[in-house]
């Protein structure tokens, strides 16, 4: 009986041990499942890194491969050298630093040194050209005395102008000129002429041939103003020798002392007001109505020389006078009273003009004032 009980206990213990082993096995498997995936990821990353390293090493040329063409080219180039020059032989055993060309280079911005030739296009003005090339309008007039004769209205389509590189005077040397006399005439120091490298003047023997041009940076000179005279109303001061001048009597409309824009536009399309252009060029199209900027009496109506084309001048009776030029049509007559805002003509492109616009002047007791000062 006891033996049978022992056998049963032994079998039961054996069964219990088997269950325990199964549990331990399950625990070991769970533990393995926890750390095995991270290990596999790390191993995979290492393998990828090794693969990339091998690829880079395989496709990167070694130093000897890079130096070889240079040596060959150098040796071939040396065969063309004169016989009296030493031959330089490259020792392939020496280490060297190879510098690859960088295609992304930055071209430095340098100031222009030369005078360029510009051909006038439709719609150009001296003022607009000066802004385009970053020089003053006076600089362009001074450089083209032979063609413009100091008159910005003399430009025409197809005309070629010299455009200096800097502000100043592009001066044509004359017989008898000296560095000192030209410097005094253009109000600069002599070094301004001598130090301008493109002039190519030898300081030890500064000889400049007549009819050649030199650039005088910062130079300036007086220039002649080409303007039509101011005609006054009434018998006094009237000049009937000029075609179109009006013979007016006393009376007539008087100005209000205020001014309006003479066109429906209020933007500048060409020359603005500056020392060489005592007016403003207002944008307009051919045939666009031109209005009296203030009330007054017409003292000139018709064509006139000096590049103005068809022109109207109004005396406002209070010291002011206004002028309207390059008109395509005139709708008022000499001596006629006009009133502020009334139609007097049509904008055009007559006279010296590269495009339709209205040349508008304001004068006060014969002197010129900037129209921007009186326009709203």
């Amino acid at each position: 009986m006891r033996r049978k009980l022992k056998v049963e206990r032994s079998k039961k213990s054996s069964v219990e041990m088997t269950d325990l082993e199964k549990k331990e096995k399950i625990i070991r498997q769970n533990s393995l499942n926890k750390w095995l995936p991270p290990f596999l990821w790390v191993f995979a990353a290492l393998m990828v890194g090794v693969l990339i390293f091998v690829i880079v090493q395989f496709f990167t040329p070694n130093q000897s491969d890079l130096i070889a063409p240079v040596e060959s080219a150098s040796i071939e180039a040396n065969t063309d050298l004169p016989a009296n020059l030493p031959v330089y032989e490259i020792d392939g055993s020496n280490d060297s630093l190879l510098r690859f060309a960088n295609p992304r280079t930055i071209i430095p911005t340098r100031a222009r040194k030369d005078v360029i030739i510009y051909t006038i296009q439709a719609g150009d003005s001296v003022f607009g050209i000066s802004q385009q090339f970053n020089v003053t309008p006076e600089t362009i007039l001074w450089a083209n005395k032979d063609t413009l004769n100091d008159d910005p209205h003399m430009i025409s389509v197809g005309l070629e102008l010299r455009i200096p590189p800097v502000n100043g005077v592009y001066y044509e040397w004359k017989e008898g000129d000296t560095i000192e006399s030209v410097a005094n005439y253009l109000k600069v120091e002599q070094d301004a002429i001598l130090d301008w490298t493109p002039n190519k003047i030898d300081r030890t023997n500064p000889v400049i041939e007549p009819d050649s041009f030199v650039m005088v940076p910062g130079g300036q000179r007086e220039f002649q103003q080409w303007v039509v005279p101011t005609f006054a109303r009434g018998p006094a001061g009237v000049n009937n020798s000029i075609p179109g001048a009006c013979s007016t009597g006393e009376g007539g409309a008087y100005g209000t002392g205020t001014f309006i824009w003479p066109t429906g536009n209020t933007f500048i399309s060409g020359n603005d007001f500056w020392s060489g252009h005592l007016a403003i060029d207002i944008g307009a199209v051919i045939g666009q109505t031109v209005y009296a900027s203030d009330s007054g009496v017409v003292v000139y109506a018709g064509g006139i020389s000096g590049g103005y084309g068809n022109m109207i001048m109004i005396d406002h009776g209070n010291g002011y006078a206004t002028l309207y030029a390059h008109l395509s049509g005139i709708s008022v007559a000499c001596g006629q009273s006009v009133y502020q805002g009334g139609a007097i003509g049509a904008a055009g492109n007559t006279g010296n003009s590269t495009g339709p616009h209205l040349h508008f002047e304001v004068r006060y007791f014969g002197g010129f004032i900037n129209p921007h000062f009186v326009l709203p």
Side-chain angles (χ1 to χ4, degrees):
M1 186 68 180
R2 288 182 181 178
R3 184 176 296 176
K4 184 177 181 181
L5 182 59
K6 288 181 180 179
V7 172
E8 290 177 355
R9 287 180 178 177
S10 176
K11 291 181 177 179
K12 184 177 182 180
S13 176
S14 176
V15 173
E16 289 176 354
M17 290 298 293
T18 302
D19 293 339
L20 181 60
E21 288 177 355
K22 290 181 179 179
K23 291 180 180 180
E24 290 178 351
K25 185 177 181 180
I26 293 174
I27 291 173
R28 286 196 300 270
Q29 288 179 349
N30 290 339
S31 177
L32 181 63
N33 291 337
K34 288 181 180 179
W35 61 264
L36 184 59
F39 172 80
L40 292 177
W41 278 110
V42 171
F43 179 78
L46 289 175
M47 293 301 294
V48 171
V50 171
L51 179 61
I52 293 175
F53 177 79
V54 171
I55 293 175
V56 171
Q57 292 298 317
F58 181 81
F59 287 102
T60 301
N62 56 40
Q63 187 175 5
S64 60
D65 293 338
L66 295 174
I67 294 176
V70 177
E71 293 176 356
S72 176
S74 301
I75 293 172
E76 291 179 2
N78 287 335
T79 60
D80 297 331
L81 295 176
N84 59 343
L85 292 179
V87 178
Y88 175 70
E89 296 182 358
I90 300 176
D91 185 1
S93 63
N94 292 337
D95 293 333
S96 61
L97 177 64
L98 182 64
R99 183 174 182 178
F100 292 98
N102 182 9
R104 296 183 179 181
T105 56
I106 300 175
I107 300 176
T109 302
R110 298 183 178 91
R112 182 165 57 91
K113 298 292 184 181
D114 57 325
V115 175
I116 64 176
I117 303 300
Y118 177 78
T119 303
I120 300 295
Q121 307 294 321
D124 276 342
S125 66
V126 172
F127 188 81
I129 296 171
S130 70
Q131 290 182 320
Q132 179 180 346
F133 291 98
N134 198 29
V135 293
T136 62
E138 292 86 349
T139 295
I140 296 178
L141 286 183
W142 292 330
N144 297 277
K145 172 71 173 176
D146 54 339
T147 55
L148 297 183
N149 201 20
D150 288 345
D151 186 357
H153 299 103
M154 296 304 293
I155 64 172
S156 58
V157 175
L159 180 69
E160 293 185 342
L161 297 182
R162 306 181 193 94
I163 311 296
V166 295
N167 291 328
V169 179
Y170 190 55
Y171 180 77
E172 185 177 8
W173 209 261
K174 301 177 179 61
E175 188 73 36
D177 279 342
T178 64
I179 299 292
E180 181 180 5
S181 66
V182 172
N184 291 336
Y185 172 59
L186 299 180
K187 303 178 180 63
V188 296
E189 298 293 331
Q190 297 182 39
D191 288 342
I193 302 174
L194 297 172
D195 291 344
W196 184 251
T197 306
N199 286 336
K200 299 179 181 179
I201 300 175
D202 184 359
R203 273 183 167 273
T204 62
N205 185 28
V207 176
I208 303 175
E209 296 296 328
D211 300 326
S212 61
F213 284 87
V214 295
M215 186 66 215
V216 185
Q220 53 183 315
R221 65 168 176 80
E222 301 297 331
F223 53 85
Q224 182 178 356
Q225 294 284 357
W226 294 92
V227 297
V228 299
T230 300
F231 304 107
R233 68 167 68 186
V238 172
N239 188 348
N240 290 321
S241 63
I242 299 178
C246 303
S247 177
T248 60
E250 297 290 345
Y254 283 82
T256 64
T258 63
F259 296 86
I260 64 171
W261 284 84
T263 65
N265 302 325
T266 59
F267 63 89
I268 305 303
S269 65
N271 287 301
D272 207 335
F273 187 90
W274 53 282
S275 59
H277 185 259
L278 305 177
I280 59 175
D281 290 340
I282 304 173
V285 297
I286 294 179
Q288 184 175 348
T289 303
V290 174
Y291 308 97
S293 186
D294 196 10
S295 303
V297 173
V298 176
V299 292
Y300 191 96
I304 197 169
S305 61
Y308 283 77
N310 294 327
M311 186 193 82
I312 295 173
M313 182 180 289
I314 300 174
D315 186 317
H316 301 287
N318 52 7
Y320 283 103
T322 52
L323 183 148
Y324 314 76
H326 302 311
L327 302 173
S328 62
I330 296 174
S331 55
V332 292
C334 274
Q336 179 180 339
S337 289
V338 294
Y339 298 91
Q340 188 179 65
I344 59 174
N349 192 31
T350 58
N352 292 110
S353 173
T354 59
H357 66 277
L358 175 66
H359 175 95
F360 179 64
E361 297 179 8
V362 179
R363 305 183 183 186
Y364 187 64
F365 287 108
F368 293 81
I369 65 174
N370 190 336
H372 290 296
F373 294 163
V374 297
L375 290 174

